[in-house]
Amino acid sequence: MNAGVALIAAIALVGAPSVLLYLWRRRFLEALLALVATAALALLASDLRMPGESGTTLAIDARYPPASLEGVRSVTLEGDGLRAAQWHDLPARPLAWTVPKTETLRLEFPRRLALGRLFALTVRRGGETSARLQLLAENGQVLAESRGVGDLTVNWLPPLAEPLVLKARLLDERDAVLAEGPVPVVVGETRPLSVRGRFSAPSFDVRVLNDVLTQSRALVDWQVTLGKTVTRTESAREKIDKPDLLVIDAAWFERAAAPARAALLAQVTGGASLLVLAANANDAGIWSRSLQLPLQAQGADELTGGPLPLPVAPLTPSTRQAGAWTGNDAGVWARQWGKGRIGWLGAADWHRLAITEPRALALWWQGVLDALRVERSEEIAWLAPREMPLPGQRLEVCALGVRGKVRFPDLGQTLAWQRRTDRVDASCVAVYPRVPGWLRMDTQGTKPASGQVYVHAPQDWPLWQAAERRDATARYAARTPAAPSSTQRPWPQWPFAVAFGLAMLGLWWRERQDQNSRGQV
């Protein structure tokens, strides 16, 4: 028995004896008033429904979003919709909305980039017409350009670590501007990569790899066996306690004793990344037993795929998916090993490109390390905003590895970091930027750090803003509950309260009249 039924039963138990008592005393008017009061009170406690709609339908104007939907049964909307931050503040309601047919575009690019990494800007658009995408520097110089149909991508290698506001321009076949706007990116210095290399035989590839890593400011601990008793050692400029990357050639592993192999794999299990240069591999059985890597002999004229074709190593897997190993076009097969990863580089003779195509070789090596998921652990990492920051609109700033408070000098605000259930291991704060441009933030606590986020002007990238609004509106419509029944609505309760009050007032007046008549007698 629920609470409503129990309350109605209690009201009946109290009211019924009163009605019966008045009837026994032949006071029929008082009995009728007591019956009306009991019935009105019972109806007041019940949840009665009547035909008709529940609530109203609100037509939302995107320029003036509502602050509340209290009393609103459903909403209607025209145009591109609202931003994600605006929908987040509203409760779920059935939404009547048709996605506009007008063209939009979406931009994808990293907001923060480590120096030495390639910056890639992708414009995703619909339509089958040819277009040209340009990436321009702050002074208007064209840095990169691409042409084609559909999605377009341009790449550029930043030369310095600094905050940049680049510019992207999308042109049609007649060089008319379809869209243009700022592209902000913070190019930052990072902790140098720590590399420990052990090689059983000297080669030009090993020497070139050493040069590539040294030029990228990596900490290199290098040891190459030149003979039975002679080794060439290059010590790192700083002590390496825990290397980010272990590099060996296949011959070193094949000739190493069992304890040495076990110690190497134990480091990988603990979280290190291991890259094996496979050009001098000879014993496929060792790799099958130790790493469950199925190797097969390859032809001498075989080449890897991708933008930089290279000779294939003598022993490599014959398929992209080789058990737990997954390969790519660059000739790299990788697999998870405990908390770390192991990569098999089935390409050789890259030293031939060190002079003719040094930049292409450096980018190729960056792709190899990306396939191996070699990462430098940073104490604090700023997360990119989920939608374009705009003045006067709520901006959610999130970061990893932060505690305490964060200060926004341009806003004169200091806020405490708060954990969010939808952001794993991240802390966030919400602010309202006032003007376009870089918004700086300084963390406080045990690990002080500075960061910045770019606030776009309201007129920047209107087609991109439209796409973000449509995405946010579609997500809101997806979380909307089922529409309530349109044939019933709550029965108004005020008539029952009025009836109860009048009945009790009538009983009181009748009782006073009865007392007065008895007094006169």
Side-chain angles (χ1 to χ4, degrees), residues 22-217:
Y22 282 122
L23 290 175
W24 182 71
R25 297 171 55 186
R26 297 182 178 276
R27 299 179 60 178
F28 300 108
L29 181 58
E30 286 81 352
L32 178 60
L33 292 175
L35 180 61
V36 171
T38 301
L41 190 59
L43 292 173
L44 190 63
S46 61
D47 184 20
L48 295 181
R49 297 281 171 169
M50 62 181 297
E53 292 189 349
S54 173
T56 61
T57 299
L58 175 66
I60 294 181
D61 187 344
R63 298 171 299 175
Y64 309 103
S68 172
L69 293 181
E70 184 178 356
V72 175
R73 180 185 63 88
S74 61
V75 293
T76 61
L77 180 65
E78 294 184 358
D80 298 315
L82 305 182
R83 290 165 51 86
Q86 296 169 327
W87 283 123
H88 185 269
D89 295 333
L90 298 177
R93 293 290 186 271
L95 174 63
W97 173 65
T98 302
V99 182
K101 301 297 183 181
T102 56
E103 185 178 354
T104 62
L105 57 82
R106 292 170 173 83
L107 273 65
E108 296 179 2
F109 61 92
R111 271 63 170 184
R112 308 186 70 84
L113 189 72
L115 183 62
R117 299 300 301 267
L118 191 67
F119 175 79
L121 168 67
T122 300
V123 174
R124 303 197 180 278
R125 63 190 187 94
E128 299 297 331
T129 59
S130 178
R132 183 158 54 102
L133 175 63
Q134 291 181 334
L135 181 66
L136 294 85
E138 294 176 324
N139 60 3
Q141 177 185 0
V142 178
L143 302 175
E145 183 175 294
S146 67
R147 184 192 302 269
V149 178
D151 300 342
L152 299 175
T153 300
V154 290
N155 298 313
W156 175 64
L157 188 64
L160 300 174
E162 58 181 343
L164 296 171
V165 183
L166 306 176
K167 184 178 181 180
R169 179 186 299 159
L170 187 64
L171 307 171
D172 63 8
E173 296 177 339
R174 300 179 180 179
D175 288 340
V177 178
L178 299 176
E180 64 178 350
V183 179
V185 57
V186 177
V187 183
E189 296 278 0
T190 59
R191 181 179 63 82
L193 188 68
S194 300
V195 183
R196 180 174 295 159
R198 297 295 183 264
F199 308 95
S200 183
S203 69
F204 290 109
D205 287 346
V206 169
R207 182 176 178 180
V208 169
L209 175 57
N210 189 6
D211 294 339
V212 170
L213 293 172
T214 302
Q215 292 170 6
S216 66
R217 304 181 303 109

Side-chain angles (χ1 to χ4, degrees), residues 240-252:
I240 299 178
D241 296 324
K242 187 177 181 181
D244 302 310
L245 175 64
L246 302 170
V247 185
I248 63 172
D249 59 1
W252 183 94

